[in-house]
Amino acid sequence: MIRSQSRPVAVLAFVAVFALAGCTPTGPSAPAATEPSPAATEPTPAASTTAAAPAAAPTLSPAGSAADNLPLFTQVVRTVWGGPDQVAGRAYIDALVGAGFDKAAMQVTPDQTTIGNPAESIEFSVRWGVDCLVGQVGPSIGDPVTTVLPGLSTGGCLIGETRPIDW
């Protein structure tokens, strides 16, 4: 489990701030929305040299910090969340390994409760130096949550019951 009941709320607030940061600007400095003229829809050599390049997909940065690797971690989590194994810890671990994260540095909580019901949420982590990349998903969470948290003095990232990653 994540260390504190207040952390998911804080993490969700943090994620909301970043989501809002991507909104379209409005006000006097924002460009007015207009219909493109026919001439504007045809590419010109000048337009092609000044067009912004597409954003590069995040990649693993072995020499980088946990924060440097959070975009890749988040992308992997969102990809698995969009598939059929939304609340299967193994799917997240396997996808993170496929992206280059170290399986030996990972933890994951059980997919089922102690009485065999599906878990309302699962957490998984990757220890990265003194910090941890932590993800939480499940029907009680809504959209996936990812963040960087300080690592535990025990060497792990998650408090509570975790299961062996023995596959």
Side-chain angles (χ1 to χ4, degrees), residues 31-162:
T34 59
E35 289 286 323
S37 67
T41 59
E42 296 179 27
T44 61
S48 65
T49 59
T50 59
T59 58
L60 188 70
S61 176
S65 67
D68 294 336
N69 287 289
L70 183 60
L72 177 60
F73 183 84
T74 300
Q75 178 185 12
V76 170
V77 170
R78 287 183 179 159
T79 299
V80 175
W81 180 253
D85 295 321
Q86 289 184 329
V87 191
R90 182 174 183 156
Y92 292 93
I93 300 303
D94 290 348
L96 290 165
V97 169
F101 290 97
D102 180 11
K103 185 188 259 187
M106 296 183 191
Q107 290 181 288
V108 64
T109 60
D111 295 350
Q112 296 184 338
T113 66
T114 55
I115 60 171
N117 293 329
E120 286 295 315
S121 71
I122 60 168
E123 293 83 30
F124 41 89
S125 65
V126 178
R127 182 72 183 228
W128 197 275
V130 297
D131 292 320
C132 296
L133 294 155
V134 179
Q136 185 175 21
V137 297
S140 68
I141 302 300
D143 289 333
V145 176
T146 60
T147 191
V148 174
L149 295 172
L152 301 172
S153 62
T154 60
C157 297
L158 304 178
I159 294 175
E161 181 185 351
T162 60

